[in-house]
Structures are given as C-alpha cells and as structure tokens.
Amino acid sequence: MIQVNPTLELLAPAGDMEKLKYALAYGADAVYAGQPMYSLRARENGFNSVQDIADAIAYCHARGRKFYLTSNIYPHNNKIRSFQKSLDEFISLGPDALIMSDPGMIAYVRKNHPNAEIHLSVQANCTNWSTASFWKDIGVSRVILSRELRLREIAEIKAELPDLELETFVHGAICMAYSGRCMLSTYMNQRDANQGMCSNACRYEYTLFEESKQEKYTPVKGKFFLKESQNPESGMMEVDEDEFGTYFMNSRDMCAIELLPELASAGVCSFKIEGRTKSLYYLARVVQSYRKAIDFVLKGQPVADSVIQDVLKTDSRGYMPGFFKPHNLPPQNYESTRVRSLKGYVAAAVRSWDASTSEAVVSVKGQISADRKVEIFSPESSRQTIISKNSLKNQKGLVVETLHSGMENCRIQLEQDPGEYAFLFLEE
Ligand code: SF4
C-alpha cells in the first residue's frame, strides 16, 4: 500500500468570495486569495479591502478550513513601505499562512510578526533541497515547489528536509517562463508579471507580416522555420502558422491528477489548483475531481479512471501532466489558446430552492428551454433530468419558453432540490 501523509491538503484558488464558497463546497481543505494590490493577481482580484479578507478568513475558519493570503509580488523600492504597512494590517486578521516570494519582505514578516506562518511562493522558484534548506532556516514552514521539478527531485528534497512541508501545483496554467518570472508581458503591454499584472502575452495569436509596396504590411503565408544561425548542428524549429495564426509560446495546461499517489509518496502534503480567474463551473468540476482523487490516495488506491475523465472534460489550453515525469506531448499548444472539451455548456447556477413551489432559483449562464435533458451537478451528486414544459419562469414570475444568459432570479421547476451550489449542465 502507498504510504501517504494522512493530512493531504487540497488547496483551491479563491478569486472572490463566491468562488471561495464554491471551492469549499466542492471539497477544498484550504483556499488561497490575493492580498489586495500585492499578489500576482493584482488586477483580477475580487478581494479589494481588509474587510473582504477578514470575511473570507472568518468564513473558512467557521468551517474548519484554512485560508492562505497570497502576498507574492516582487516590489520595487517605491512600494516597500506601503507593502509592509499593508502586511501588518492583513496579518492581524489571522490568515493561516502568507504566501510570499520576496526575500526582503519575508525577512520583514519574520522580524515583525514572528508567529506568522510563511509559505514560500512558487514565484520564488525553489528547485532544490539546498535552496529549500535556506528558506527553512529563515523560518519558512512550507515551500511551494517550482513546477519544473521531476518527481525524483521532490522525493530528494523531502529526504533531505523531512520536517519541511512541500506543496506543488497539480492543475492549471503553466508559464513558458519559470512561473511568471518573465518580461514578455512588460515588453508587449507594459504590464509587469512580477507586479501581478501579466497580460498573458505568451498566449496571444501572432501573425507574420512582410512590408509591401501597396499596403504597409501584408500577412505572409506558408511554412516557417527558425534556426540558430551560428550553429549548423541546430535543428529547424517550425513556427507553425495556419489561417488562425501561430501560438508558438502558448504552454499547455497541467493536469497531474493521475500522479497524485506518486506525488504523495514523494512527500507532497498539499496539492494546489491554479486559476483564480477561472469560471465557477470550472472551479467546481476541478475541485470535485481532485477531492475524489485525494480520497482515493488516502485509501491507498489508484485514482479511478472516471475521476480522471471528469476533470479532462474542463476547457483548457490542452492538458499535459506537467514536468513530473517524461512524456511525449509537446509542452506548447501551437494551434489554439483554448481547447473546448466540454460537450455542452453550463445553463444555470442554482442560488436557492423554494420548497413551496419545487422551484430552483437560478442565475442563467446559457440559453435554456423546456424539453431539454440536463445534468444536475452538485457537490453531492450528478444526475440527469428533463426540463418539462411550463417549468421555466423569468424574473417577473412569468412562464416563458426560454431563459437567456445573464438573467438573474429566474425559476426552474424540478422534481427535487438540486442542493446548494448545484449547476444545470446542458449537453450539446
Ligand atoms: S506572459 Fe506568459 S510566460 Fe510571461 S508571466 Fe505571463 S503567463 Fe507567464
């Protein structure tokens, strides 16, 4: 039987309070959210104030879950004092740990808040036991390992430092640079990834143009290759461009769900999902799949294929299992910045249940009409049902044929309560 840490943690992203609630409902043990202005999701952070974070921490703690505050920008001089002041304020709220990367700011917290727990951010790129040992000596209790490590290297770090907690990303976006430490976004859009403002410039569709006499530029068609000019031995790298352009820096997303047993054996105690800006449905589906997978690991069993298939149904940039083991998939997805794996769409998110009329009160996310088969997907179960005639009501309470995306407080009659946090998923 596989030996695992009995306290394996599923750590989910919380882009805002609503996502935090869904992450917990679908099985996360802990969530992470950005310190306003000072995390690497500075632009898309749904937590904007001290009160927002205080509410989030209270919500998690009331349910016996943990809340980690991501405070991982690399500040320039002009931000140091304000960052320190902000840290003082947020630490007083009692997050379970701070996720940090800047050595100077870590030293500040260690000195001024000796009891605050610090987890080293993936942004600090810890790739070996010597660096991990350095951070442990500084007083970091957990290291979030670089995504670029092999399983063998993780096991070696654990063997050298058995008391240090190791966390690793197992699902979500991967940078073509070492976890965000790149200047591409600054170069293209004057938005610094290391200040939390990455514009995802590596994902853009790029098209090659040539100068022409008639118009200033015309698109160039054909096959193109790059070669290192000074090295006759170097191979040709195809810059594959079709009618949709080329995505030559667009990394596939990671899905390492099958590797959880081996990662646990290597000494990882916390499995992290990336994606604070992803949709509620994506978050729910991914968190639920990894919850089930961790439960298999805790029972010493391999992850069931049905669980793996479920998570692969989520949209992505094309999945690969990361860098833990060699594999044959190219790390880039040259063809598209989005792979649609969902065979259908989310029609509605259930907000509440009116037992007196057997109606679910919903936010409509996609068009929904009567006589359609839907999957009711909830934290507890997944089942099929048919939306019967005259069972759809708009926000005014009027029976309608169709509900449209964006409508709030609509009603759908169902045989039974779908449960809190459920979705209605319409297969195509
Ligand atoms: S531009 Fe791409 S590679 Fe650079 S930090 Fe952003 S996501 Fe990462």
Side-chain angles (χ1 to χ4, degrees):
M1 184 183 287
I2 298 160
Q3 292 299 310
V4 295
N5 181 337
T7 55
L8 291 180
E9 177 181 86
L10 174 56
L11 176 53
D16 57 34
M17 194 62 183
E18 187 180 36
K19 288 177 182 171
L20 182 152
K21 290 178 179 176
Y22 273 77
L24 297 192
Y26 278 85
D29 299 302
V31 292
Y32 61 98
Q35 178 178 345
M37 291 172 63
Y38 299 102
S39 88
L40 290 181
R41 283 280 177 264
R43 285 176 71 92
E44 300 104 342
N45 192 354
F47 296 95
N48 297 310
S49 66
V50 174
Q51 191 57 50
D52 286 351
I53 296 291
D55 292 345
I57 294 173
Y59 188 89
C60 290
H61 288 176
R63 287 155 184 80
R65 316 291 179 91
K66 290 190 172 168
F67 178 94
Y68 303 141
L69 187 68
T70 307
S71 313
N72 60 348
I73 64 160
Y74 282 99
H76 286 239
N77 288 336
N78 60 356
K79 276 194 192 163
I80 300 255
R81 300 270 180 246
S82 60
F83 192 0
Q84 289 175 341
K85 192 161 168 278
S86 174
L87 277 166
D88 295 342
E89 214 168 6
F90 283 98
I91 289 170
S92 72
L93 303 175
D96 294 282
L98 298 161
I99 299 172
M100 303 185 75
S101 50
D102 184 87
M105 302 312 291
I106 290 175
Y108 172 81
V109 172
R110 217 31 329 132
K111 185 170 168 211
N112 295 282
H113 302 278
N115 296 324
E117 195 141 327
I118 301 174
H119 296 173
L120 187 73
S121 169
V122 71
Q123 198 74 3
N125 304 127
C126 180
T127 56
N128 62 65
W129 60 260
S130 174
T131 305
S133 173
F134 166 83
W135 285 114
K136 181 172 178 283
D137 291 346
I138 300 278
V140 163
S141 61
R142 178 185 294 188
V143 166
I144 305 163
L145 296 166
S146 257
R147 290 179 174 91
E148 296 77 14
L149 296 189
R150 294 281 197 228
L151 261 165
R152 168 182 48 78
E153 295 176 287
I154 296 174
E156 286 163 3
I157 294 172
K158 192 66 188 173
E160 290 285 340
L161 302 159
D163 299 336
L164 182 67
E165 292 181 6
L166 301 181
E167 176 181 312
T168 190
F169 277 93
V170 288
H171 195 95
I174 302 183
C175 270
M176 53 77 78
Y178 259 59
S179 292
R181 299 195 71 167
C182 99
M183 294 297 285
L184 193 61
S185 172
T186 313
Y187 179 69
M188 304 294 292
N189 311 101
Q190 292 77 51
R191 281 173 49 179
D192 186 350
N194 295 293
Q195 303 300 312
M197 290 185 287
C198 170
S199 64
N200 277 329
C202 61
R203 321 280 187 200
Y204 295 172
E205 173 197 314
Y206 292 93
T207 304
L208 208 57
F209 284 78
E210 68 177 354
E211 221 171 5
S212 83
K213 293 218 167 64
Q214 293 80 13
E215 301 165 45
K216 192 135 200 279
Y217 298 103
T218 50
V220 183
K221 295 194 171 59
K223 284 194 169 234
F224 306 97
F225 297 85
L226 287 175
K227 186 170 167 55
E228 192 189 336
S229 320
Q230 304 303 317
N231 179 4
E233 302 297 315
S234 76
M236 286 287 186
M237 291 178 286
E238 186 171 358
V239 182
D240 188 13
E241 178 169 320
D242 58 16
E243 67 271 33
F244 303 113
T246 186
Y247 301 85
F248 70 109
M249 291 179 285
N250 178 38
S251 170
R252 284 173 192 272
D253 291 342
M254 176 198 283
C255 175
I257 195 164
E258 272 180 275
L259 300 177
L260 293 198
E262 287 171 85
L263 285 164
S265 294
V268 173
C269 69
S270 179
F271 299 112
K272 187 171 201 167
I273 295 167
E274 181 275 344
R276 277 179 277 173
T277 57
K278 294 277 175 33
S279 72
L280 275 183
Y281 178 77
Y282 171 94
L283 178 70
R285 184 66 93 177
V286 172
V287 169
Q288 189 181 60
S289 297
Y290 277 85
R291 172 76 274 148
K292 289 180 183 171
I294 290 174
D295 291 344
F296 277 113
V297 177
L298 289 170
K299 284 188 261 169
Q301 296 171 357
V303 180
D305 193 51
S306 58
V307 174
I308 298 168
Q309 294 313 317
D310 262 0
V311 81
L312 294 178
K313 281 184 203 156
T314 49
D315 288 346
S316 66
R317 298 182 184 95
Y319 284 124
M320 65 159 180
F323 302 105
F324 300 119
K325 279 180 152 186
H327 57 78
N328 296 327
L329 283 165
Q332 297 99 328
N333 180 349
Y334 292 115
E335 286 153 19
S336 170
T337 198
R338 181 167 180 234
V339 174
R340 268 206 87 211
S341 305
L342 281 177
K343 300 281 176 271
Y345 59 88
V346 181
V350 175
R351 300 302 183 196
S352 60
W353 174 249
D354 185 341
S356 64
T357 56
S358 292
E359 288 171 333
V361 181
V362 301
S363 299
V364 186
K365 305 283 183 190
Q367 186 170 301
I368 181 164
S369 336
D371 283 336
R372 291 293 304 267
K373 190 158 88 174
V374 293
E375 178 196 359
I376 299 179
F377 167 66
S378 75
E380 288 77 33
S381 64
S382 162
R383 64 190 168 84
Q384 309 276 344
T385 191
I386 306 270
I387 302 287
S388 47
K389 270 205 169 14
N390 303 324
S391 64
L392 302 175
K393 286 184 190 164
N394 66 16
Q395 54 272 66
K396 292 180 183 154
L398 301 172
V399 174
V400 290
E401 292 281 310
T402 307
L403 296 173
H404 297 280
S405 174
M407 294 168 79
E408 293 289 338
N409 288 317
C410 297
R411 287 171 171 254
I412 303 177
Q413 198 165 49
L414 298 168
E415 299 127 24
Q416 64 185 82
D417 182 357
E420 228 183 335
Y421 303 108
F423 293 93
L424 270 54
F425 187 81
L426 237 148
E427 284 175 19
E428 273 166 359

